[in-house]
Amino acid sequence: MSGLYARRATRTAVFAASVALASATALLTAPEAQAAPPTPVSAATARTYLGQLTVKTEGSSSGYSRDKFPHWITQSGACNTREVVLKRDGSGVVQDSSCAAVSGSWYSPYDGATWYAASDVDIDHIVPLAEAWRSGASSWSTSSRQAFANDLTRPQLIAVTDNVNQSKGDQDPAEWMPPSSSYHCMYARMWVHTKHYWNLSVDSAEKSALQSVLNGC
């Protein structure tokens, strides 16, 4: 009997080792989870924040230049803000010694497309730089505008399909929303979170559009 128990114990040990090895291999080969920008405030909090924003007619674009919002700045080592967001928002992203993304995939929640080349992806400012300028940033210091344009702490930067980002331009939610309606709630929460933190104003049409979306979340 002792020999039978010994053989069973050996088989059990081998099986356990095989399971452990398989589990470890699965962990190494499983696809990396899709990352995302910092989570915005809830819809309920966004509705509260929206009510606290100053409502006023949008200011002029006079004097605006993207150069007044310096980006992309170095974040660490050789990596600038764009490269940090590409790594954060992508899956399986591999960077070379200069921090450029040489492989990986990027899912764009704006339109549901997946891309496999970083050149197909833009980093969108949820609240566009020109929109910020017209909403109060024209009076900021250059250092404040730089911090806004490279804000990795709030949900202000996101990797998306380049031509979708270009179709957005500097429009606010009364004029443009992501093609994928399932993302409208998240987008509105991100927009309000960012504007509230940076104390930017909203115009009446923009506020109405945001209220409509948030009330449906």
Side-chain angles (χ1 to χ4, degrees), residues 80-126:
N80 66 26
T81 308
R82 171 182 163 82
E83 291 153 349
V84 169
V85 176
L86 284 173
K87 176 72 171 178
R88 181 197 71 190
D89 290 3
S91 294
V93 177
V94 176
Q95 296 171 310
D96 64 17
S97 58
S98 64
C99 208
V102 294
S103 65
S105 65
W106 292 268
Y107 172 78
S108 168
Y110 282 7
D111 58 336
T114 298
W115 303 97
Y116 297 91
S119 58
D120 290 322
V121 176
D122 276 357
I123 307 305
D124 181 36
H125 290 94
I126 295 291

Side-chain angles (χ1 to χ4, degrees), residues 17 52 73 77 83 87 102 128 131 156 184 190 211:
Q52 296 170 350
I73 62 170
E83 291 153 349
K87 176 72 171 178
V102 294
E131 164 69 19
Q156 160 67 345
H184 287 186
M190 296 166 83
Q211 281 179 326

Side-chain angles (χ1 to χ4, degrees), residues 1-101:
M1 291 294 286
S2 59
L4 176 60
Y5 285 140
R7 288 195 297 276
R8 283 178 177 172
T10 300
R11 286 199 297 271
T12 300
V14 170
F15 176 74
S18 298
V19 170
L21 179 60
S23 298
T25 303
L27 287 172
L28 291 172
T29 59
E32 187 178 325
Q34 178 65 34
T39 302
V41 294
S42 68
T45 300
R47 287 192 289 271
T48 299
Y49 280 7
L50 182 59
Q52 296 170 350
L53 295 179
T54 299
V55 181
K56 60 189 294 187
T57 302
E58 201 167 75
S60 169
S61 293
S62 177
Y64 167 73
S65 166
R66 288 179 67 85
D67 293 341
K68 293 183 178 179
F69 293 80
H71 66 289
W72 304 110
I73 62 170
T74 299
Q75 292 291 341
S76 64
C79 302
N80 66 26
T81 308
R82 171 182 163 82
E83 291 153 349
V84 169
V85 176
L86 284 173
K87 176 72 171 178
R88 181 197 71 190
D89 290 3
S91 294
V93 177
V94 176
Q95 296 171 310
D96 64 17
S97 58
S98 64
C99 208

